[in-house]
Amino acid sequence: MSTPVRVRFAPSPTGPLHIGGLRTALYNYLFAKKHNGTFVLRIEDTDQTRFVEGAENYIREALDWCGISYDEGPGKNEKFGPYKQSERKSLYKQYADKLIAKGNAYYAFDTSDKLDSHRKDHEAKGKTFIYNWHNRLKLKNSLSLSAEETQAKIEAGDPYVIRFKTPEGKTLEMHDEIRGTITIDTNVLDDKVLFKSDGMPTYHLANIVDDHLMEITHVIRGEEWLPSMALHILLYKAFEWQAPKFAHLSLLLKPVGKGKLSKRDGDKLGFPVFPLNWTDPKTNEVSSGYREAGFYPETVVNFLALLGWNPGTEQEIFSLSELIEAFDLKRVNKSGAKFDPEKNKWFQQQYLQQQNDVDLAKAFESILTNKGITTSLPLEKIVSMLKERAIFPADLYDLGKFFFEAPTTYDPKAAKKTWKEGTAELMQELVEKIKTITDFSAANATTEIKAWITSKEIGFGKVMMPLRLALVGSLMGPDVYEIAAMLGQNETINRLENAIKNL
Ligand code: GLU
């Protein structure tokens, strides 16, 4: 039997979850569910200086809103817990010590001032300072000092970090599930810090230790971690642990196609790049979220899934369970995925059309209530007439406010086009005609008014366009007879008379 799949989403709570991060979570979730595996949420908060209040809750709320629920995580099925690295603090040092004992890591006593001056010296010569095989013996560490000197320093309480001793002169061949084989010369790597002088592990050590202890089988994460892959694989080798499989997802690109999609792009072009609204606790600056912009979570999940993955068919609309069924890491693109806000809207429109009229009517009702409008009109029917043109539930109000409020002004362009010499008289005749209709249903009003127009031997447009203008205030909206029937005979007559008076 093969090992059960276990994946993790491991965000650092340093701010709101960007949609790129949400996509990483989604791909992990889809992969786990596809393979009947486990999706773990781990909070990587070892860097206390970058901790942001509220960010962890935001991450959980965003996952929740999207319906991407984790199987294990903080406060849930804590089999391998705790799932917050700050609560696992005491665990990491022994692993750093283990590497020292095996000769794969060393104590380094160089002060930050000293390292800075090395960096500056190198820069002055147009070089970059890298702490690794070529200079580690010239620096102050347990490789260059004697065992006694090292011991004395530690006992004296001299601050130190623990660095990885990157193997020298090796060609490392690595496999990425999306990118294939990647080869790297270990001599270009630096001896990364694994354990800091403040007693905390760095991301690299904590990440590897936790992935191992949590029995993670596949690491699916953003491309920004590709440069760390070599170190991570070397760490697994040093510990003599089996490494998980790696898959690095390509970046989300700006709508123009070049450069990483940033918060600025969203602000500039007016679309959200976050799942939920976020208020920066320091500046109070608000970044808008998909939820508050009126997108459905199904929309966000669907378009994010297709941003970097393709099903190999023409199908574009996928429910979460269809995504689980279809998802395959082999179909995740190597190149960056261009973020297209118009396509997002298209998805949203598709999902709005799929909503049933009862639910949509409920949403519409609360929009109306917020605007102080109460109505006895059948909202389900109105929604079914309007939804074709709506993208967001809020659009229903703009598209259909005339149902609840008689026009007080008329679109001047439309008036110029439709209200001509003789129109007022014609509309007055129409009023008289309408008064004679006993069954003012849309179907019957259509038949009777059309027959009347035909008998007058004039074009339909001559009557229907000004009628629409009188009822709606512009030339938009659904079928004009449907509108009239919905407003009722009296209101239709009132609005026609108003238009005759005002136009
Ligand atoms: N804490 C890292 C992040 O926020 C996790 C990277 C990884 O998945 O290994 O992106």
Side-chain angles (χ1 to χ4, degrees):
M1 222 180 79
S2 59
T3 330
V5 163
R6 290 178 57 82
V7 296
R8 85 309 192 261
F9 177 51
S12 301
T14 54
L17 182 62
H18 180 273
I19 50 160
L22 186 61
R23 185 191 60 166
T24 302
L26 175 64
Y27 285 16
N28 273 285
Y29 172 87
L30 295 176
F31 184 78
K33 297 299 137 184
K34 166 99 193 196
H35 298 282
N36 292 321
T38 305
F39 175 49
V40 176
L41 174 68
R42 184 173 71 226
I43 302 293
E44 300 207 326
D45 57 350
T46 50
D47 190 351
Q48 292 294 323
T49 57
R50 294 182 62 219
F51 179 82
V52 172
E53 196 62 47
E56 185 189 330
N57 273 346
Y58 180 99
I59 291 164
R60 292 206 252 178
E61 202 181 330
L63 296 180
D64 210 37
W65 180 67
C66 289
I68 311 174
S69 53
Y70 49 91
D71 304 302
E72 289 171 24
K76 194 168 175 189
N77 294 330
E78 298 222 358
K79 201 163 126 203
F80 293 86
Y83 291 84
K84 244 197 233 190
Q85 289 186 328
S86 58
E87 291 169 13
R88 304 170 65 80
K89 231 188 327 203
S90 57
L91 190 131
Y92 303 111
K93 178 71 176 20
Q94 56 182 297
Y95 290 97
D97 290 343
K98 213 181 236 178
L99 289 184
I100 292 196
K102 294 176 93 196
N104 295 114
Y106 57 91
Y107 299 103
F109 301 97
D110 319 85
T111 62
S112 33
D113 284 350
K114 195 81 201 151
L115 291 175
D116 272 347
S117 89
H118 285 312
R119 261 178 224 120
K120 286 207 185 96
D121 287 351
H122 276 70
E123 261 167 43
K125 289 181 213 145
K127 291 184 181 164
T128 316
F129 174 72
I130 304 177
Y131 202 128
N132 69 1
W133 61 277
H134 82 284
N135 61 6
R136 57 168 86 107
L137 288 177
K138 288 184 230 143
L139 293 154
K140 205 175 260 175
N141 53 50
S142 55
L143 302 175
S144 59
L145 302 170
S146 70
E148 293 71 30
E149 281 169 315
T150 300
Q151 196 53 31
K153 276 187 159 306
I154 291 172
E155 275 164 23
D158 279 11
Y160 64 81
V161 298
I162 297 176
R163 285 183 182 269
F164 184 58
K165 189 177 168 208
T166 312
E168 218 179 304
K170 294 251 178 332
T171 304
L172 185 65
E173 203 171 87
M174 313 180 285
H175 182 77
D176 183 278
E177 298 295 298
I178 297 167
R179 286 146 210 275
T181 303
I182 303 168
T183 314
I184 194 161
D185 171 2
T186 59
N187 278 1
V188 304
L189 301 171
D190 57 342
D191 289 354
K192 279 268 183 312
V193 173
L194 301 177
F195 204 81
K196 297 180 283 185
S197 53
D198 64 359
M200 286 291 256
T202 58
Y203 152 74
H204 301 292
L205 179 69
N207 188 272
I208 264 51
V209 167
D210 286 348
D211 280 348
H212 172 70
L213 296 178
M214 294 180 182
E215 298 178 8
I216 298 303
T217 57
H218 296 75
V219 168
I220 304 170
R221 62 185 175 189
E223 184 181 283
E224 63 273 28
W225 299 105
L226 191 58
S228 303
M229 184 178 172
L231 168 65
H232 293 182
I233 288 181
L234 291 171
L235 278 167
Y236 281 105
K237 282 190 199 292
F239 280 119
E240 294 173 66
W241 293 339
Q242 158 138 36
K245 292 200 159 122
F246 286 92
H248 289 89
L249 307 173
S250 58
L251 294 174
L252 295 189
L253 304 177
K254 294 177 192 300
V256 289
K258 265 198 196 139
K260 190 177 163 192
L261 178 72
S262 73
K263 175 171 149 3
R264 303 258 167 278
D265 298 312
D267 295 341
K268 230 174 20 208
L269 300 166
F271 58 86
V273 294
F274 297 106
L276 320 173
N277 268 15
W278 164 260
T279 308
D280 187 297
K282 285 209 185 91
T283 60
N284 278 334
E285 189 197 348
V286 178
S287 305
S288 65
Y290 277 95
R291 181 177 64 184
E292 289 77 4
F295 284 87
Y296 294 131
E298 293 84 351
T299 308
V300 175
V301 164
N302 197 152
F303 82 72
L304 277 184
L306 288 172
L307 218 50
W309 166 80
N310 72 81
T313 64
E314 293 293 300
Q315 187 179 348
E316 290 192 283
I317 300 296
F318 286 87
S319 66
L320 193 55
S321 53
E322 286 172 322
L323 285 173
I324 292 170
E325 179 69 25
F327 189 75
D328 187 348
L329 271 184
K330 291 202 174 61
R331 294 203 149 274
V332 172
N333 303 340
K334 265 190 233 148
S335 50
K338 191 170 85 175
F339 184 84
D340 180 353
E342 288 312 310
K343 190 72 188 188
N344 286 356
K345 282 201 192 148
W346 178 84
F347 276 110
Q348 167 61 20
Q349 190 172 26
Q350 303 306 306
Y351 278 98
L352 187 126
Q353 305 313 312
Q354 280 183 15
Q355 288 272 311
N356 70 53
D357 294 342
V358 179
D359 290 341
L360 216 43
K362 274 195 204 127
F364 194 23
E365 191 170 11
S366 72
I367 292 167
L368 292 175
T369 311
N370 282 338
K371 297 199 180 282
I373 298 169
T374 47
T375 177
S376 54
L377 293 180
L379 289 181
E380 279 169 40
K381 177 84 196 349
I382 292 186
V383 151
S384 76
M385 290 160 73
L386 298 174
K387 74 174 181 189
E388 198 183 292
R389 291 174 196 80
I391 298 177
F392 301 105
D395 295 342
L396 295 170
Y397 176 73
D398 296 325
L399 291 168
K401 58 174 178 265
F402 58 84
F403 281 116
F404 318 101
E405 296 159 350
T408 49
T409 56
Y410 300 90
D411 173 8
K413 254 202 206 142
K416 192 159 175 244
K417 188 168 150 203
T418 62
W419 207 275
K420 306 223 164 91
E421 276 280 326
T423 303
E425 291 72 20
L426 188 60
M427 288 301 107
Q428 193 55 52
E429 277 182 57
L430 177 61
V431 168
E432 300 313 320
K433 169 67 205 166
I434 289 174
K435 283 181 184 164
T436 68
I437 302 178
T438 45
D439 166 13
F440 202 63
S441 65
N444 192 53
T446 309
T447 316
E448 294 217 18
I449 296 173
K450 275 194 175 162
W452 176 75
I453 301 173
T454 311
S455 75
K456 292 187 68 66
E457 295 183 352
I458 51 173
F460 283 109
K462 273 213 158 64
V463 175
M464 285 161 65
M465 300 249 268
L467 171 60
R468 179 182 290 282
L469 185 65
L471 299 183
V472 175
S474 73
L475 294 181
M476 64 164 220
D479 180 77
V480 71
Y481 299 108
E482 295 270 3
I483 298 174
M486 182 62 68
L487 292 173
Q489 205 158 4
N490 287 341
E491 181 63 13
T492 301
I493 292 169
N494 284 345
R495 291 193 186 187
L496 273 169
E497 285 177 342
N498 266 340
I500 294 167
K501 238 187 284 156
N502 295 320
L503 275 165

